[in-house]
Amino acid sequence: MQFGIFRITPLRKLSALLMASALLFSLVLHSSAGISDEKNSVPPPTQLPGQPALLVGVAWYPEQWPESRWEEDLKLMEAAHIRAVRIAEFAWSAMEPTEAYLEFEWLDRAIALAAKHHIISIVGTPTAAPPAWLTFKYPETLRVEVNGQRVQHGGRAHGSPTSPKYREFCRRIAEQMAKHYGHNPNVVGWQIDNEYGYALMSYDEGTRKQFQDWLKEKFKTVENLNAHWTAAYWSQSYDNWSEIPIPQQGANPGLMLEWKNFITYSWTSYQQTQIDAIRASAEPRQFITGNFMGWFDGFDHYGITKPLTFVSWDDYVGSGHFDPDWNGLMHDLMRGLKRENFWVIETQPSNVNWTPLNNSLNKGEVRARAWQAIAHGADYIGYWQWRSALNGQEQYHGALIGQDGQPVPVYDEVAMLGREFDQLSDALRGTRVQSEVALLHSYPSRWAIDWQKHTNRYDQGAILKSYYRVLRKQTDSLDVISPDAPLAQYRLVAAPDLNLISEATAKHLSEYVHNGGHLVLGPRSAMKDEFNALLPHTQPGFLAEALGAHVEQYYALEKNVPLAGAWGAGESSLWAERIKATAPNVEVLLRFGISNGWLDDQAAAVTRKFGKGRITYIGAVLDEKTMAAAAEWMAKDAGLTSSLTPAPAGVEISRRVANGREVYLAVNATSELKTLQLPRTMKLLLSQTEASRVELPAYGVEVISNVQH
Ligand code: GLA
């Protein structure tokens, strides 16, 4: 991991008083409505035929070790119930040591030896690390940085996604690998590239020309482009496509957005070149996935993940400890990309090596995090990595095997997890997450706000999490999805800071409300269109009519502003929007108190029944208590039927379902003992017992199902 892109929140302060809190939770059985029957009838693509439904895997790099060591490694993996290796994703120089000379024999032997130990292989295409012969002979394959310098060989992600020459080399190696492994029974699937070069681009003239051609295809005429970008401003009007630059920070917002869209297009077509090369030879049973990075927003993930069989991501805490809210939110975001189960193809077994403080996770935390991922729809947990290379840039990264080749302490914890996955695979087979609540998330909106925060403390991740934390407590699971995804299954849809809402998306959202849903919009909603231009209407743009109200003015706040109303008395931080009701049946939920004069006694949150549903607008960044009261109100209004809440603080309960069969997962994310009171005697699948009370020790986990009569 190169960038500190993951947000880290310290573990909650734990109260000793909560240690034995035994909170009753009411169990309400849901029907399987929500996931279409069609989807329910096929197993998730993340659960592989002939394999346990849940798998532990590792990133294994046989090319870094003498072959005489391999069997010892594989024996240790097998003993830990590790059932998969991801392999070869940086091994280009070992597979093609000189141009067009391929050596797959070593990899054949590694895959066969793994199979001997009942370990399947996921093969990575090695295009994140082109070999030195390639980059030296064909320097045009290397990216050019913003400052005009070509990237040097010796790191990774140095290949240019827009270089036709590099694309051709990538296609060829993927094609050769697919011809070779596309029918190998021990190869279950493919990972394309690794992390897609952190979405880095090449700032060379060829790329600029591709960008201009892409703009031409999209806008057809420069006049049209000029109009959408209001290019008359500062004499930006273009006469020819060839005048359009690659934007630097602080460029026209329309140009900035299209450059981002072009980045998405470039990496998606880079990916497609390899998908096509693999699909031409590989058996259809072999899946194709990519390795994504949670909150990372270098490109629009909804587009790039479309052609993949399923989404995988690498889940790192970095510094600090398990934050179940943030981590849960990230799993849900990744699950929402394809609205399907996913894999955690990489995660840290102890510590990373790329943050200011690379502390280890506590004993038990690795297992708890793995089970939380399963609870949120993962079916595979892959540890990065099996053993650190003796040299190379990541010598200090956590691994399962030490530099002496012996297991390190966390190996036993992973072995325990492996045993548990084997034990519980049947219970979780065919199950998915099925939610009644969704949060809407959009990459263009995120980019647009981050480019013009207006107050530098405006943190969209924190705001999304503030909604997530309180709403997740009202329900067993929550989806994080694109605003354009189907919404009919949800009783409640909340969209904090959805800044760009096109007319088409607004129509989709108002139809959802019209048909009986409850849509909650947060601050900064619907200011702009899909070209990142301000709408010629006040917020919430095309939704103002449904709301029967609009934002008269927004304010970046110097200090918190008091507010009070239906959700009690509290504060707005960072941002405040003065709302004016225009329709008679608009209910004011919150009003601002005395502050800058403009906001005094003005509406801060309003709601209105519209069609068969309801639309609410919250023009404030609410404090935790008010946000919690708002969530309770939303849950009540939407008639949410949460099965397993309230749980003791720090314990997260989730539900996976398959055709009416329900499995609940309880994860104690704290280092304190917690007690969970069940509404009746239920099956505790990990403890292999029946009980009406669950004791969860520090980082304890239980998987619970109904007793079958
Ligand atoms: C990323 C990469 C891995 C490795 C890990 C280290 O996720 O995919 O190759 O560098 O980070 O944390």
Side-chain angles (χ1 to χ4, degrees):
M1 185 63 51
Q2 184 154 305
F3 302 121
I5 46 173
F6 294 93
R7 297 188 56 265
I8 297 139
T9 309
L11 195 65
R12 308 126 307 279
K13 302 223 167 47
L14 302 168
S15 156
L17 281 174
L18 288 173
M19 268 177 63
S21 62
L23 294 170
L24 188 70
F25 61 76
S26 63
L27 181 67
V28 180
L29 298 186
H30 294 252
S31 76
S32 286
I35 294 182
S36 70
D37 288 345
E38 197 191 331
K39 192 165 171 185
N40 236 331
S41 64
V42 291
T46 43
Q47 298 185 350
L48 308 177
Q51 294 296 323
L54 307 181
L55 296 171
V56 177
V58 288
W60 184 44
Y61 299 101
E63 70 275 20
Q64 296 170 5
W65 300 98
E67 200 164 335
S68 55
R69 167 71 202 190
W70 293 357
E71 183 131 36
E72 180 60 21
D73 280 328
L74 293 162
K75 275 185 192 162
L76 284 166
M77 287 182 209
E78 191 178 12
H81 297 241
I82 289 168
R83 302 204 170 273
V85 285
R86 191 198 57 190
I87 198 166
E89 83 277 11
F90 296 117
W92 197 338
S93 64
M95 290 187 284
E96 193 178 359
T98 56
E99 187 170 353
Y101 175 74
L102 294 166
E103 272 188 6
F104 287 133
E105 294 78 8
W106 66 271
L107 188 53
D108 298 347
R109 292 195 296 277
I111 290 171
L113 204 58
K116 182 180 150 198
H117 292 277
H118 308 106
I119 294 171
I120 51 175
S121 293
I122 297 108
V123 174
T125 65
T127 49
W133 60 257
L134 192 161
T135 56
F136 278 83
K137 186 165 172 197
Y138 305 100
E140 70 272 30
T141 61
L142 288 167
R143 283 188 301 103
V144 173
E145 301 276 38
V146 183
N147 64 10
Q149 285 194 340
R150 273 202 194 275
V151 181
Q152 269 196 2
H153 192 92
R156 59 177 170 180
H158 39 299
S160 164
T162 45
S163 152
K165 192 82 189 164
Y166 190 56
R167 286 271 187 102
E168 178 51 17
F169 275 111
C170 294
R171 192 195 62 73
R172 265 168 42 189
I173 189 72
E175 178 185 72
Q176 292 306 320
M177 289 175 79
K179 281 186 176 155
H180 201 84
Y181 295 111
H183 299 273
N184 185 318
N186 303 313
V187 173
V188 292
W190 298 83
Q191 176 188 298
I192 308 268
D193 199 83
N194 190 59
E195 297 176 328
Y196 297 112
Y198 322 113
L200 292 170
M201 290 295 279
S202 185
Y203 294 81
D204 57 85
E205 276 307 307
T207 304
R208 183 176 169 195
K209 174 79 172 60
Q210 287 180 35
F211 178 45
Q212 291 162 347
D213 291 346
W214 178 87
L215 287 170
K216 189 173 173 187
E217 181 72 30
K218 176 163 182 172
F219 289 93
K220 309 293 181 216
T221 65
V222 262
E223 292 73 26
N224 184 32
L225 175 144
N226 284 333
H228 281 298
W229 294 1
T230 319
Y233 177 85
W234 286 357
S235 287
Q236 287 167 12
S237 304
Y238 299 103
D239 305 307
N240 295 300
W241 300 102
S242 62
E243 293 167 355
I244 301 170
I246 294 177
Q248 311 258 344
Q249 194 61 30
N252 180 305
L255 170 61
M256 301 264 282
L257 179 61
E258 296 310 342
W259 174 244
K260 277 288 196 185
N261 288 335
F262 177 71
I263 294 175
T264 304
Y265 162 79
S266 300
W267 282 102
T268 305
S269 69
Y270 169 92
Q271 171 186 260
Q272 194 61 43
T273 305
Q274 296 192 39
I275 293 177
D276 292 345
I278 292 171
R279 279 285 167 239
S281 303
E283 289 175 6
R285 69 171 169 87
Q286 292 184 334
F287 64 78
I288 302 183
T289 191
N291 181 10
F292 298 94
M293 297 189 281
W295 190 238
F296 177 71
D297 69 349
F299 40 60
D300 189 325
H301 289 55
Y302 295 106
I304 196 169
T305 54
K306 259 197 196 121
L308 298 170
T309 318
F310 57 80
V311 166
S312 298
W313 78 288
D314 48 17
D315 176 14
Y316 291 95
V317 168
S319 300
H321 289 274
F322 183 17
D323 171 1
D325 295 324
W326 182 254
N327 220 146
L329 175 59
M330 289 306 99
H331 288 310
D332 296 346
L333 174 67
M334 294 292 98
R335 192 183 68 249
L337 295 177
K338 285 183 80 71
R339 292 178 294 118
E340 182 55 280
N341 289 12
F342 59 96
W343 278 18
V344 174
I345 207 159
E346 288 183 21
T347 190
Q348 70 198 69
S350 45
N351 60 282
V352 301
N353 70 322
W354 41 262
T355 65
L357 170 61
N358 300 312
N359 66 283
S360 275
L361 296 174
N362 290 343
K363 192 169 184 190
E365 226 178 332
V366 165
R367 172 175 170 263
R369 291 184 72 240
W371 274 111
Q372 192 206 21
I374 302 298
H376 285 253
D379 288 316
Y380 174 100
I381 307 294
Y383 288 97
W384 200 93
Q385 59 176 328
W386 174 245
R387 184 178 179 183
S388 296
L390 295 180
N391 218 321
Q393 281 92 321
E394 295 173 302
Q395 290 168 307
Y396 276 84
H397 201 285
L400 296 181
I401 295 295
Q403 63 198 80
D404 60 350
Q406 297 303 309
V408 297
V410 76
Y411 170 93
D412 288 340
E413 192 169 318
V414 171
M416 176 180 178
L417 185 71
R419 278 195 304 278
E420 291 174 343
F421 276 16
D422 282 355
Q423 185 191 327
L424 263 70
S425 270
D426 286 346
L428 284 143
R429 186 172 302 284
T431 62
R432 292 178 164 92
V433 175
Q434 182 186 300
S435 309
E436 296 183 325
V437 182
L439 286 177
L440 303 184
H441 160 269
S442 125
Y443 291 95
S445 284
R446 271 175 65 188
W447 300 328
I449 291 180
D450 282 344
W451 289 326
Q452 298 181 74
K453 285 183 180 228
H454 212 55
T455 164
N456 61 2
R457 288 182 300 127
Y458 201 92
D459 178 345
Q460 297 180 75
I463 291 173
L464 193 62
K465 187 175 133 181
S466 76
Y467 277 69
Y468 181 85
R469 272 192 86 236
V470 291
L471 285 172
R472 185 61 173 77
K473 288 193 171 68
Q474 305 289 336
T475 185
D476 301 326
S477 66
L478 198 149
D479 291 350
V480 181
I481 51 170
S482 150
D484 299 317
L487 299 175
Q489 80 179 70
Y490 302 108
R491 291 172 188 264
L492 175 65
V493 169
D497 43 45
L498 202 55
N499 199 231
L500 270 56
I501 301 187
S502 67
E503 191 167 3
T505 303
K507 190 162 172 272
H508 174 58
L509 296 177
S510 63
E511 268 168 23
Y512 163 72
V513 175
H514 210 264
N515 294 334
H518 183 178
L519 174 70
V520 178
L521 297 169
R524 301 180 84 152
S525 290
M527 284 180 89
K528 293 176 158 186
D529 68 9
E530 68 271 39
F531 299 98
N532 206 9
L534 289 172
L535 288 167
H537 332 283
T538 47
Q539 295 167 250
F542 297 109
L543 289 162
E545 208 184 311
L547 182 66
H550 65 265
V551 173
E552 287 188 296
Q553 183 60 276
Y554 54 83
Y555 301 89
L557 299 179
E558 297 166 84
K559 39 186 195 214
N560 293 0
V561 168
L563 39 73
W567 304 331
E571 284 182 339
S572 179
S573 59
L574 305 169
W575 199 265
E577 289 174 350
R578 168 178 157 152
I579 303 171
K580 180 175 181 174
T582 47
N585 59 340
V586 175
E587 193 187 327
V588 176
L589 293 165
L590 288 177
R591 276 187 192 281
F592 293 111
I594 304 298
S595 63
N596 63 0
W598 304 113
L599 287 164
D600 300 2
D601 205 32
Q602 300 296 323
V606 298
T607 189
R608 183 191 187 204
K609 285 193 169 153
F610 178 73
K612 292 190 205 135
R614 174 180 288 285
I615 176 165
T616 299
Y617 193 100
I618 306 174
V621 178
L622 298 178
D623 62 278
E624 224 173 290
K625 200 170 115 273
T626 315
M627 195 69 232
E632 272 173 39
W633 174 85
M634 290 175 211
K636 200 167 160 214
D637 178 81
L640 292 185
T641 50
S642 165
S643 320
L644 302 169
T645 53
V651 174
E652 188 196 74
I653 295 169
S654 312
R655 185 181 65 127
R656 286 178 57 155
V657 296
N659 293 319
R661 185 163 53 85
E662 293 169 310
V663 185
Y664 297 92
L665 296 97
V667 177
N668 178 2
T670 77
S671 54
E672 309 281 335
L673 171 75
K674 301 280 175 170
T675 304
L676 198 64
Q677 194 66 45
L678 303 177
R680 59 172 177 276
T681 300
M682 296 182 80
K683 259 192 180 168
L684 310 189
L685 302 177
L686 277 174
S687 316
Q688 297 183 304
T689 182
E690 290 184 5
S692 58
R693 208 174 121 92
V694 185
E695 297 265 288
L696 292 168
Y699 303 116
V701 177
E702 191 51 90
V703 182
I704 306 162
S705 74
N706 293 315
V707 177
Q708 305 295 330
H709 294 290

